[in-house]
Amino acid sequence: MEVKHLNAELSTIMGDLLTMTAVQLGNMPPSPRNDIVKNAFAHLQVPKVWVESPYEKRESLILWLATLTARAQHLRTCASLHNPTSYSLTAFYRPKALIHAICQTFAKQRGVSMEVLQVRCRMLNVATETLRSGPTIGAFLTGIFIVGASVEWVRNECYVVPHAYGEAMCHSVPVMWVEPYMTADAVTAAEDTIE
């Protein structure tokens, strides 16, 4: 689904760029959409016709293209590997669907309904680069940020520490392990059916 969404976005961008080229060469008359793209480029902004959600913050064209490139590279890696080491949440258009897929995989492997599952999240005191493989249950997530605070480790305990005025406002969160598990009621019911 994510790759399909990315391909649709890239197709729209390619179509607009080809149209803009044809207009510049005089092979096509300008259109209102072409004017929107041209004006956005003149101000180094992302054309509003390329931004799907109206609440998405306006960023520079250069930063937006860098993010789009990173998203495409991450999704290519995820699509080519059976079990990626980690998933970057910033690469997904709908991160909630990723969490749903993690739970769906767990439920299918265990032969249980998703309704009896909950999700546990644990911060890991490791750098993303040091991960050699994904977990056997769940997934490692990266690309999560905290605004106005940072994460500090004290004797293997993770603490969120608020920042004083004037300090850097945005910090990345350590690798997070998202792990589905069955609720206690579901485990008890499963044990009762076995006996």
Side-chain angles (χ1 to χ4, degrees):
M1 181 69 153
E2 294 292 323
V3 174
K4 186 177 177 181
H5 194 281
L6 177 66
N7 285 337
E9 185 173 16
L10 292 174
S11 178
T12 299
I13 292 167
M14 180 63 87
D16 283 342
L17 292 176
L18 289 172
T19 300
M20 195 161 97
T21 302
V23 169
Q24 293 297 322
L25 293 173
N27 298 335
M28 259 179 111
S31 68
R33 183 180 179 96
N34 178 258
D35 289 341
I36 291 170
V37 173
K38 184 179 173 185
N39 289 336
F41 280 4
H43 295 95
L44 293 176
Q45 292 294 313
V46 181
K48 65 181 178 182
V49 293
W50 291 0
V51 180
E52 181 181 284
S53 71
Y55 57 85
E56 197 167 325
K57 81 174 189 177
R58 303 291 288 169
E59 56 192 355
S60 74
L61 181 62
I62 295 167
L63 180 59
W64 184 82
L65 287 172
T67 303
L68 181 66
T69 302
R71 174 179 284 155
Q73 289 172 342
H74 185 75
L75 292 177
R76 180 189 308 147
T77 300
C78 289
S80 67
L81 298 175
H82 173 65
N83 185 17
T85 305
S86 65
Y87 296 92
S88 175
L89 281 186
T90 55
F92 288 86
Y93 292 95
R94 294 172 181 84
K96 187 176 178 181
L98 175 64
I99 305 299
H100 186 79
I102 292 167
C103 290
Q104 208 170 28
T105 301
F106 180 86
K108 186 175 180 182
Q109 290 171 342
R110 304 286 187 292
V112 298
S113 168
M114 285 186 48
E115 292 153 0
V116 300
L117 298 181
Q118 292 185 352
V119 177
R120 174 178 23 237
C121 298
R122 300 178 192 179
M123 300 291 185
L124 304 180
N125 193 5
V126 297
T128 307
E129 304 81 43
T130 62
L131 297 173
R132 298 288 173 240
S133 65
T136 54
I137 298 172
F140 294 139
L141 303 182
T142 60
I144 304 169
F145 296 90
I146 293 179
V147 176
S150 65
V151 174
E152 293 183 10
W153 291 90
V154 178
R155 291 187 292 282
N156 289 330
E157 296 273 331
C158 181
Y159 295 93
V160 175
V161 179
H163 274 217
Y165 179 76
E167 292 186 40
M169 291 301 293
C170 188
H171 292 275
S172 62
V173 171
V175 175
M176 183 184 294
W177 178 14
V178 174
E179 178 187 20
Y181 67 97
M182 292 195 315
T183 60
D185 293 341
V187 172
T188 303
E191 290 170 351
D192 290 344
T193 57
I194 292 172
E195 294 174 357

